[in-house]
Structure formats: C-alpha cells, structure tokens
Amino acid sequence: IADLWWVYCKPVPADGRELWTLFTQCSCITAVIGGLFYNWMFASLEYSWHLSIAMSISFSLLLLLTLFLVHPARCVFSMIMPTLGTKQGRKLLLSTCIMVTVVNITPNIMSNIKTILLVIKCICKNSSDSLLNSTALLQAASLEFGDAIQETLHSTIYRPMNGRFQFSLLQNTSSIYQQMDLAGEKIRRDFLSVEVLVKDSVRVGNRLVAGFSMLYLCFESTWYLKNYLTNLHFDNFYITKKLERLAVDRKAPHLLVGSPKNLIRPTGLKLSREELMVCLVQAMLLTVALMLMLVVVAMDHFAFSVADTALRKAAQFSVVPVTLHIKYKVGAGIPWILPFVSKILGLPSEELSLQDFEKSYHHYLIFSSAHCRISPPTPPNPSVLLVVGLLFCILYSTVFLQTYASRLCRKIASSFFQSWEEKRVLYLYRKLSRRQKK
C-alpha cells in the first residue's frame, strides 16, 4: 500500500511499470467515482437515467485524464475525500436529508389532509341528503292536514274550496351534489398543485445546493493547496516526525518537550481551543436544522392523528331524531253581528266544531354513512425517520471529525510535495528557536 501511495503521489513516474500502475489506480478510482456519481444524480437529485449515465461517463473520462496527467489535480482530488467530512460534506448530507424528508413525508401529510377533507365532504353530503329527505315529512304532514280540513259537515256550504297547502318539495338534488363535487375537485387540485410545487422547489433547491457544494469542495481543496504551497505559516503548528528528527539532528529536542499550547500532534486526539469552539458552533447550527426537520416529522404524525380521529369519530356519529307534532282545533260559525241573516237563511247560529287533529311525524338526521368511500389515513413511515436519524448521527459525527479531516488534508499535501514540507518544518523549527531565545 505504501508503494502504491508513493507511485500515486510522485509528480512523474520513473519507468513504465510505475506509469502502468498509476494508470490502473486512476482507472479504478474513476470507475468507483463514476458509479457513485451516477447513483447520486439518479437516486438523490432525481435526474433522468439517460442524462445521469451521460453525465457520469463524461465526468469519469474527464476525471481519468485529469488525474493521470496533472499531478496537483491528484493532490486536490485526494484532499476532496477528507474534505467531505467538513462543513461542505455536511451540506451535501443535509441536502440529502432534506430531500428524503420532503419526498417521503410531504406526500404523506397531503394524503392525510385529503382524508380529513373527504370525511368533511361525506358528513356534508349525508347531512344534506337527510335534511332534504326531511322535506318529505313536511309534505306528508301538509297533505294529511289538508285532508282533515276537508272533512267537515255534510253541508256543502261549510266545505272549504281547497284545504290543502301548496308545499313545494325539492326533488332534484343533483345540482347540490354537483356543486359539492366541484368544490371537492377544486380542493383536490389545489392540494395537488401545492404538493407538486413543494416537490419541484425542493428538487431544484437540492440540485443547486448539491452543485454549489461540489464546486465549493473543489475550491476549498484548491485554496488549501494554494495556501500550503505559498504560505509557510499556514496550518503549520503540528509536531510531526520530521520536526522531531530535525530537532534531534540539531541537538535541540528540548524545544519540543515544553512545546507551546498551540502546538499539537497531528495523530493525537487533542483539540485546540479554537478547534473546539468551531465544533461547538457547528453543532449548534446543526441542532437548529434538526429542530426544523423534527417539526416536519411532528406535522406528519399530527396530520395522521387528526385524520385517524376524524375517521373514527365520523363513524360513531349518532342518528339525530326529529319529530313534527301537529295539534289543532278549528270552529266555524256566523258572526254575532248578523244574527238575522242566519234566521232568514235557516242556518244554525251556534259555532260548529270541525274534527280535531293531532298527529306526530318522525324523521332521523344521518351525518355519516358506510357508503362513503374514504381510504384510511396513511401512518408515518418509520423507515424515513430511521434514515433521517442515521443521517443526523453522521452529520453530528462530522462536526467533530472535521478537525481530523483538516489534519489529513495536510498529511496528503505533505505526501505530494515533500520538498516543500521540509521547508515548512524548517520554518517552524526556526520559529520555536527564536521564541525560546526571547
């Protein structure tokens, strides 16, 4: 492995064997990266499969030529891998987490809200049906009431011309159902458009964030290499083996015994105060993102709970009884002002009693029915919550691993440019010597 890494880090291969070894290494690397790039574009960014294949093949060929021919490009590419453990890698993982949440949780929330609206629609339709059917009760009561008024004395002079009420019953309910269906269809289209808009917005935003993050990864690695090769003071506070050998050769090992607090060993687990503060700030920002993600997950559970409760309570609605009770007593006679008229005509002057009428009519208002076709609410998918939790565990681990990833970037740069690393070690040694003299 050390020999392969030495061939990979050399600016120019020494012979044909090293040249073939380097080409084989670059080919294997580009094959793996091309496969990962295709899966990332097709599965995570949701590009079409043919575009993903074309982009991954083009990217792999370009990467193969760049790694094989350009020595600094190999160094930058090698530093990109540990840089994924820094904040840029967290951005990529966070965008993936957001995409997983939106694609899997948002449709579930919309589906449960649709279930709630279907329950409301079913209740409105059944209650309106029952209310319209109650008008038949009024029609029957009016007919019987009119027939009772007609049943008077046998004398035709007392018989009313028409005792029935003119009651208009709404027989055609299709217009009401049509309006309800149109309202439900409009609500369904509105929810569908909102769902599509959310998905498209998140998909476009995720692609933009992913593209920017990849470009920034390359820029950050290039920026680190540029500062490494031009600034001797940049990221030069590690007690490396070369520094220890130099101190022993110069007979000054005491310089490293009581080393300053800002000097650390690159292979140790100790974090400087500045590194620890950066980790804490990043962890706080990541916690804010986690809280927002948990709000979306809580909305999913809340929507399911409301939909499930509405469906169960609607099925338990009791039937409301409605009773129409009619009781009357009517008398007919000649007013006392014209008594002589009754004598002339030979009519009885006392008041005549019609037949008494008392009857009750019963009806039931129904608010729910088993004929409503309502799909059961969709429970939250526990696998989505598991994936989100796993991704956030990785994100939190990268917060504290970014320091060691930066140290690994320095180690990679020193492997590719060993002569420059010796100059940096000499600069640090002289700096420690001047500090001790002061």
Side-chain angles (χ1 to χ4, degrees):
I1 294 177
D3 293 339
L4 292 175
W5 178 251
W6 169 246
V7 173
Y8 184 75
C9 295
K10 289 181 66 174
V12 179
D15 51 21
R17 177 179 173 275
E18 290 187 356
L19 183 65
W20 177 251
T21 303
L22 178 62
F23 181 78
T24 304
Q25 288 177 331
C26 295
S27 299
C28 294
I29 291 173
T30 53
V32 174
I33 297 300
L36 294 176
F37 187 75
Y38 166 78
N39 184 72
W40 181 52
M41 290 191 63
F42 180 71
S44 181
L45 301 183
E46 295 187 344
Y47 283 102
S48 59
W49 66 270
H50 53 275
L51 179 61
S52 301
I53 291 177
M55 289 292 293
S56 60
I57 292 176
S58 302
F59 176 75
S60 300
L61 294 176
L62 180 62
L63 182 63
L64 176 60
L65 294 176
T66 304
L67 293 181
F68 183 66
L69 299 177
V70 185
H71 174 252
R74 289 202 299 272
C75 180
V76 171
F77 176 78
S78 302
M79 286 192 295
I80 287 177
M81 297 298 106
T83 308
L84 286 172
T86 61
K87 57 183 179 181
Q88 296 307 316
R90 284 199 302 276
K91 288 182 181 179
L92 289 175
L93 286 177
L94 190 58
S95 65
T96 303
C97 188
I98 293 174
M99 195 67 183
V100 169
T101 303
V102 172
V103 170
N104 292 277
I105 293 182
T106 303
N108 200 34
I109 295 176
M110 295 295 181
S111 176
N112 289 328
I113 293 178
K114 289 178 185 177
T115 301
I116 297 173
L117 294 178
L118 287 176
V119 171
I120 296 175
K121 178 182 177 181
C122 178
I123 293 175
C124 293
K125 186 174 181 180
N126 282 282
S127 59
S128 61
D129 273 344
S130 183
L131 186 61
L132 291 175
N133 290 335
S134 66
T135 58
L137 179 71
L138 298 178
Q139 186 183 42
S142 67
L143 291 176
E144 293 189 10
F145 188 73
D147 292 339
I149 293 178
Q150 291 286 336
E151 294 177 359
T152 56
L153 297 176
H154 296 289
S155 177
T156 58
I157 196 172
Y158 294 104
R159 185 176 299 277
M161 294 179 63
N162 187 4
R164 291 183 175 83
F165 294 97
Q166 297 298 324
F167 188 82
S168 177
L169 177 63
L170 181 61
Q171 298 288 350
N172 187 13
T173 60
S174 60
S175 60
I176 297 178
Y177 297 152
Q178 184 179 3
Q179 293 296 327
M180 294 178 65
D181 292 337
L182 289 176
E185 183 65 20
K186 184 177 182 300
I187 293 174
R188 188 190 68 82
R189 289 198 302 268
D190 291 342
F191 269 92
L192 183 61
S193 61
V194 170
E195 183 178 348
V196 172
L197 178 62
V198 170
K199 283 186 176 180
D200 292 342
S201 301
V202 172
R203 185 182 296 111
V204 173
N206 189 47
R207 290 173 180 177
L208 292 176
V209 170
F212 174 78
S213 299
M214 289 302 297
L215 292 176
Y216 197 84
L217 274 174
C218 299
F219 169 77
E220 190 173 16
S221 299
T222 306
W223 176 83
Y224 183 91
L225 183 60
K226 178 257 180 187
N227 285 279
Y228 179 86
L229 295 176
T230 57
N231 187 1
L232 293 173
H233 181 71
F234 174 74
D235 199 23
N236 194 6
F237 50 86
Y238 299 101
I239 305 176
T240 60
K241 293 182 178 181
K242 288 186 178 181
L243 180 61
E244 292 177 343
R245 286 197 299 266
L246 181 62
V248 172
D249 295 340
R250 298 282 179 98
K251 298 180 180 180
H254 56 278
L255 291 178
L256 306 180
V257 175
S259 57
K261 294 182 179 179
N262 57 346
L263 289 182
I264 58 176
R265 295 185 180 275
T267 57
L269 298 178
K270 178 183 176 181
L271 296 176
S272 63
R273 185 176 180 180
E274 292 77 10
E275 292 173 338
L276 185 60
M277 290 301 298
V278 171
C279 292
L280 292 178
V281 172
Q282 295 296 330
M284 291 177 61
L285 295 177
L286 192 59
T287 303
V288 174
L290 177 61
M291 293 296 104
L292 295 177
M293 206 73 64
L294 290 178
V295 168
V296 178
V297 175
M299 288 176 58
D300 187 18
H301 285 78
F302 177 75
F304 169 72
S305 177
V306 173
D308 185 61
T309 303
L311 195 60
R312 287 189 290 104
K313 293 298 182 182
Q316 297 174 1
F317 277 166
S318 59
V319 178
V320 179
V322 178
T323 302
L324 176 63
H325 184 71
I326 301 177
K327 179 180 180 181
Y328 73 94
K329 181 178 181 181
V330 180
I334 301 299
W336 61 272
I337 300 177
L338 302 173
F340 63 94
V341 177
S342 61
K343 291 181 180 180
I344 293 174
L345 298 176
L347 300 175
S349 59
E350 68 276 4
E351 181 177 322
L352 299 177
S353 297
L354 279 71
Q355 182 179 356
D356 295 342
F357 184 86
E358 181 176 2
K359 193 170 184 180
S360 297
Y361 300 88
H362 301 280
H363 184 70
Y364 298 93
L365 294 179
I366 301 174
F367 295 97
S368 63
S369 174
H371 299 289
C372 293
R373 297 179 180 179
I374 302 177
S375 58
T378 308
N381 191 355
S383 61
V384 176
L385 188 59
L386 180 62
V387 171
V388 172
L390 180 61
L391 288 176
F392 266 94
C393 289
I394 298 175
L395 287 170
Y396 273 106
S397 64
T398 59
V399 170
F400 298 96
L401 290 177
Q402 66 178 356
T403 301
Y404 308 106
S406 301
R407 297 177 185 179
L408 185 56
C409 288
R410 182 192 174 278
K411 181 65 176 176
I412 292 173
S414 64
S415 299
F416 276 84
F417 302 94
Q418 297 186 8
S419 59
W420 187 254
E421 177 65 18
E422 293 176 358
K423 295 180 181 180
R424 290 169 59 86
V425 170
L426 183 60
Y427 170 81
L428 181 58
Y429 173 79
R430 291 174 179 175
K431 181 179 178 180
L432 293 176
S433 298
R434 289 194 301 267
R435 183 176 297 175
Q436 187 188 36
K437 290 179 181 179
K438 291 181 181 180

